[in-house]
Amino acid sequence: MVILANCEGLTGMPAARDALEAGRSVLDVVEQGVRAVEADPRVHSVGRGGHPNLLGEVECDAALMDGATRMVGAVGALSGYLHAVSVARELLQRLPHAFLVGAGAARFAAEVGAEPAEMLTPEARGTHERWLAEHLTPEQRERLGQGPLAPHAWRSSQTLISRGTVVVLARNARGEFAVGTSTSGWARKYPGRIGDTAVVGAGFYVDDRYGACACTHSGEMILRAGTSRAVVLAMQRGATMEEACADAIGDLARLRGGYLGPVLIHTLDRHGRAHVVSTHDYGDRFAACLWREGSLEIERVRPCVLATPGGGAT
Ligand code: ASP
């Protein structure tokens, strides 16, 4: 039994571990791990307390994938509900679809009795208002809802602090895997922007036969490269997890144009071995969390750095 989460997932590790030890399904395990982070207002990139979009609204993306069936539930740009990941779980179980966004996702959340919540905390509102005051003129702030937003979206994408996600990957004693993800996306993103986190094949992918993968940070790059699917497919074709991640990072480094930034890849192979790689060296700042059966401790895993600034993914 093993659970791998990214650094934001630390808060959720005890809930995920308890669910795994209690013999609950792997989907339950990753959902419980993600829910704890969504409810934690100190994590400013996930759920309540997350950074809002340019218009001051918190829009969440979340997903779950089951490695045995490869069923997916995903929601994007969901506002007003505490646990986007649980709305994604309901979707996986109740609908013939895999992905709902915006008003349709909110409608479905209401239909299944998801918990409504005010997602914008006073702290996140304060950070947002300070950023607007520092970067926009009083006239631009006044007309923010009516005028063009695109120039502000570029400006706000430049600071690393404005990102983050929770990803939780789990494997039980029977070798069954699941992945769960959730994010409020980039701070001050363009309204309606959906990154990689809720997009199957980009932000996450899992197949019990080969292993699991989930990515964080520059969602636009991960979307363009289809990174999580690429890693699992490489393992399907016989690559080791380390080779699969190295190939995926090499592919990301060859992207040109558009938004380029850092990417982290979190992987479990089919034996439950873990590997975390990063395009940039942040030391322990984005160290992942790893728990294995029989361990009393949650181990921190420092990502291996596989590309350096200047290699495309800057
Ligand atoms: N990948 C997330 C997104 O693009 C953000 C992050 O993980 O930093 O929304």
Side-chain angles (χ1 to χ4, degrees):
M1 296 196 290
V2 58
I3 303 166
L4 175 67
N6 68 328
C7 59
E8 278 91 348
L10 185 60
T11 317
M13 288 298 277
R17 182 198 55 210
D18 291 350
L20 191 55
E21 287 189 321
R24 293 174 63 183
S25 73
V26 272
L27 277 177
D28 281 347
V29 170
V30 299
E31 182 184 1
Q32 292 307 314
V34 170
R35 279 174 64 94
V37 184
E38 288 178 332
D40 184 348
R42 295 167 304 176
V43 181
H44 294 302
S45 52
V46 179
R48 183 165 56 198
H51 294 299
N53 66 20
L54 274 165
L55 296 178
E57 189 174 8
V58 179
E59 291 182 320
C60 295
D61 308 333
L64 285 159
M65 184 168 186
D66 176 49
T69 59
R70 285 186 285 162
M71 286 178 74
V72 169
V75 291
L78 175 68
S79 294
Y81 290 90
L82 186 56
H83 292 299
V85 74
S86 295
V87 179
R89 176 79 184 269
E90 294 285 347
L91 191 162
L92 182 153
Q93 288 168 337
R94 294 184 193 222
L95 286 181
H97 310 310
F99 198 1
L100 288 177
V101 300
R107 180 193 179 95
F108 178 70
E111 207 171 297
V112 298
E115 185 179 347
E118 172 52 73
M119 303 298 278
L120 185 62
T121 60
E123 193 187 348
R125 185 197 302 273
T127 307
H128 181 67
E129 285 172 357
R130 273 194 302 283
W131 186 89
L132 293 179
E134 278 167 27
H135 292 87
L136 274 61
T137 64
E139 297 73 47
Q140 285 173 323
R141 293 206 297 278
E142 184 78 16
R143 295 183 43 77
L144 193 60
Q146 296 93 54
L149 295 176
H152 311 314
W154 270 106
R155 195 178 298 155
S156 69
S157 71
Q158 301 308 319
T159 38
L160 188 65
I161 192 71
S162 63
R163 302 182 198 133
T165 296
V166 55
V167 300
V168 182
L169 301 76
R171 178 189 190 265
N172 67 15
R174 290 188 296 279
E176 296 162 340
F177 288 82
V179 176
T181 64
S182 185
T183 188
S184 51
W186 289 7
R188 304 171 295 273
K189 62 192 174 187
Y190 200 102
R193 177 263 185 190
I194 293 173
D196 61 310
T197 302
V199 178
V200 58
F204 64 95
Y205 200 80
V206 57
D207 183 327
D208 280 2
R209 296 170 297 172
Y210 312 111
C213 182
C215 300
T216 62
H217 283 57
S218 304
E220 277 65 5
M221 293 178 65
I222 300 162
L223 281 167
R224 287 161 68 190
T227 303
S228 292
R229 181 67 177 125
V231 168
V232 175
L233 190 60
M235 294 195 287
Q236 177 175 346
R237 293 189 170 154
T240 65
M241 173 174 60
E242 290 79 2
E243 290 165 346
C245 288
D247 279 358
I249 292 280
D251 191 44
L252 286 162
R254 282 189 290 276
L255 293 175
R256 294 287 180 270
Y259 185 87
L260 299 175
V263 171
L264 279 96
I265 304 177
H266 305 77
T267 309
L268 290 177
D269 73 6
R270 68 193 169 91
H271 308 292
R273 290 193 311 121
H275 189 50
V276 182
V277 300
S278 172
T279 55
H280 289 63
D281 188 357
Y282 296 112
D284 287 330
R285 181 164 166 204
F286 297 115
C289 309
L290 182 68
W291 176 83
R292 287 188 181 287
E293 185 174 10
S295 172
L296 296 177
E297 308 264 312
I298 290 161
E299 192 186 321
R300 300 308 295 264
V301 181
R302 189 176 178 160
C304 301
V305 182
L306 290 187
T308 50
T314 56

